[in-house]
Amino acid sequence: MSVVRSKILGVGSYLPEKIITNDDLSRMVDTSDEWITERTGIKLRHIASENEKTSDLAYRAAIDALKSAGITSTDLDAILVATTTPDDTFPATATKVQKLLGMQRGFAYDLQAVCSGFMYAMMTADSLIRSGQVKTVLVIGAETLSRLVDWTDRNTCVLFGDGAGAVILTASEGNGTSLDTGILSARVFSDGTYGDLLHTTGGPSSTRTVGTIFMNGREVFRHAVVKLASAAEEVLRNANVSSQELTWLVPHQANLRIIDSTAKKLGIDMSKVVVTVDHHANTSSASIPLALAEKVKTHEIKRGDLLLFDAMGAGFTWGAMLARY
Ligand code: UT7
């Protein structure tokens, strides 16, 4: 049976030049390289410069992805930007990227699902492609989380970083089996009753400010492993694929211990898990496309590889996606 699949045509990334190490942080708050490494696996994070906005990071990743796909912005029908840190409350960062790319056709909008944003954007792009509304979509996860961090709060300031990752999806033909190239299965979830465990202390309609990040880390951790594993299992089941058949797990990069525990629950050996949290930290919606782009560039992820993405974040929101690269 012939079906439409959303194929990953290209990937791109951008990380700001400035780096803050754990030792740098230990001079700012009461923490240590030892604590951060042991509890999170993070060694350093990239931080946007004063004049770099989320749209600048997103644009750089977009240019990289277009080059990787061998197309130009005139070939794009839509741009979806997953971000929790837009340049401004409006217009959407996606329309800024559209302008920077010199693209005056199609449409562009933002999606906000915090650390699961990239999963939501990919699922939406896949639906738009499979319904025949568009052929080629640029999906970007871009964040300047450093602008939401309270740099005096050791509970959160050690965890986050800035960056952007991009993927270009295009319609292709498959035969409806798990041997097809492209997105094979995807599910996203949310449960707003957990909103208080991870949130910002402000927003345009509540405080007229952006607020800073508050997190009950221990509780978020506990839910993360369970929800990530159950979303992944559902997506695998829907595609009739076992975790043993995966080439790579490409998880959201929040904490090495969460990644490790989820892989164990799924029976996936850590040698098949992409880990970038050590040198990217948690870049929220950018973390999966950044991790994917890194491993495609080093040729560790190759055409034909079976990839499982999963993410969990504030809301709570979570989700998983199975794709053959
Ligand atoms: O991407 C969205 C999803 N977010 C996540 O997945 C993050 C989930 N949570 C986590 O990654 C972990 O819970 C943290 C890394 C945030 C914290 O690790 P933990 O092992 O859960 O530590 P904890 O919160 O239980 O805190 C242990 C201790 C506390 O001290 P007391 O109360 O035991 O005396 C904290 O005050 O560690 C203290 N602590 C620190 N010490 C040194 C908290 N942050 C730091 C720090 N340096 N940066």
Side-chain angles (χ1 to χ4, degrees), residues 75-90:
D75 298 308
L76 297 174
D77 300 312
I79 303 172
L80 270 57
V81 174
T83 187
T84 306
T85 45
D87 293 8
D88 301 300
T89 305
F90 70 81

Side-chain angles (χ1 to χ4, degrees), residues 8 15 20-21 25 30 35 52 112 118 120 134 141 151 165 171 217 244 261 264 278 298-299 313 323:
I8 301 174
L15 288 160
I20 295 189
T21 65
L25 284 169
D30 182 14
W35 191 96
E52 262 179 329
Q112 206 265 57
F118 184 72
Y120 275 67
V134 295
W151 289 99
Q244 298 312 305
S261 304
K264 274 202 184 77
D278 54 332
T298 58
H299 307 290

Side-chain angles (χ1 to χ4, degrees), residues 30-31 35 39-40 115 154-155 158-159 198 215 217-218 220-221 252 254-255 257-258 282 312-313:
D30 182 14
T31 190
W35 191 96
R39 300 293 180 112
T40 71
C115 295
R154 70 174 184 175
N155 289 297
V158 301
L159 303 174
L198 176 53
M215 175 162 65
R218 216 172 289 184
V220 176
F221 191 115
H252 169 50
N255 183 315
R257 289 187 297 138
I258 295 178
N282 182 348
M312 188 266 186

